[in-house]
Amino acid sequence: MCFGKCARCIGYKLLILAFLCIVANILLYFPNGETRFASEHQLSKYVTCLHGIIGGGILIFLPAAVFIGLEHDNCCGCCGHENCGKSCAMLSSVLAAFIGILGSGYCFIISALGLSHGPYCLSAVEQNWVYPFTNASGGYLLERDRWSECREPRNIVEWNLTLFSILLVFGGIELILCSIQVINGFLGGICGVCCNREEVRSNPGEHSVPLFPCHGSSSEAQVQ
């Protein structure tokens, strides 16, 4: 089934993206490989939202596993027709895709907010731990000369910019892939049901035996 192969391809891509999102979110906790900022709670509030670990990671593993198993899945075959079960599996994958959309959307939004508000750092101007770029609405990204306002952690602007951008892009790709699977799942389920009905119509003799034979008819046959 081509719809199942498409879903499986999406599933493998989501697995890779989910793993990379988890790694990127973990790295946000350790600027320049240092652990003291995490232990002293001197990180951006958007880092602790776990948007890459939970949203782009864990919530993506579930739909990815469902999609990968679709090509050979037959959850509810009926009347001896394999296509019926595959149609059921394809339609049920739409629910898993919505879970993926929820997780990837969360990852995408938090990453965008993290980029917009900027890092939490020791400001050279205010001599205190603040968000020095929170009022810039992301404009600081184009003003590289202002990045030196953050004294600690060192190079925190570049660190956050790189990792939040990665999470933003990966979250967006996950969102697109899960949205594609919603369409793929609907089409695969509907086409599978339609093809199954056409098969029944073209082979009426295969279903001439009633599923629930009457007791009366069997007794009459015995009398004869």
Side-chain angles (χ1 to χ4, degrees), residues 65-165:
V66 172
F67 301 161
I68 290 172
L70 278 178
E71 186 176 6
H72 305 292
D73 199 0
N74 185 20
C75 70
C76 61
C78 56
C79 300
H81 288 279
E82 182 184 4
N83 286 337
C84 178
K86 288 185 176 181
S87 299
C88 172
M90 290 299 296
L91 290 173
S92 64
S93 74
V94 175
L95 297 177
F98 279 121
I99 295 176
I101 289 174
L102 181 65
S104 59
Y106 175 65
C107 180
F108 183 87
I109 293 172
I110 297 299
S111 298
L113 290 174
L115 286 173
S116 177
H117 284 246
Y120 182 70
C121 63
L122 178 61
S123 174
V125 177
E126 302 184 28
Q127 298 297 320
N128 196 9
W129 285 86
V130 294
Y131 291 92
F133 311 117
T134 188
N135 296 323
S137 299
Y140 75 95
L141 296 172
L142 303 177
E143 300 173 358
R144 191 179 179 85
D145 56 322
R146 292 189 58 192
W147 294 2
S148 58
E149 292 182 20
C150 284
R151 294 173 57 185
E152 285 195 0
R154 292 180 298 104
N155 303 317
I156 187 59
V157 178
E158 293 89 334
W159 188 268
N160 277 17
L161 174 60
T162 301
L163 294 174
F164 273 120
S165 296

Side-chain angles (χ1 to χ4, degrees), residues 10-11 14-19 21-22 25 49-67 93-108 110 170-171 174-175 177-179:
I10 292 174
L14 288 176
L15 275 182
I16 297 172
L17 290 171
F19 176 76
C21 282
I22 291 176
N25 199 161
C49 288
L50 302 178
H51 57 295
I53 296 175
I54 296 178
I58 296 174
L59 289 179
I60 295 298
F61 281 136
L62 174 61
V66 172
F67 301 161
S93 74
V94 175
L95 297 177
F98 279 121
I99 295 176
I101 289 174
L102 181 65
S104 59
Y106 175 65
C107 180
F108 183 87
I110 297 299
F170 287 171
E174 289 174 343
L175 183 63
L177 290 175
C178 289
S179 300

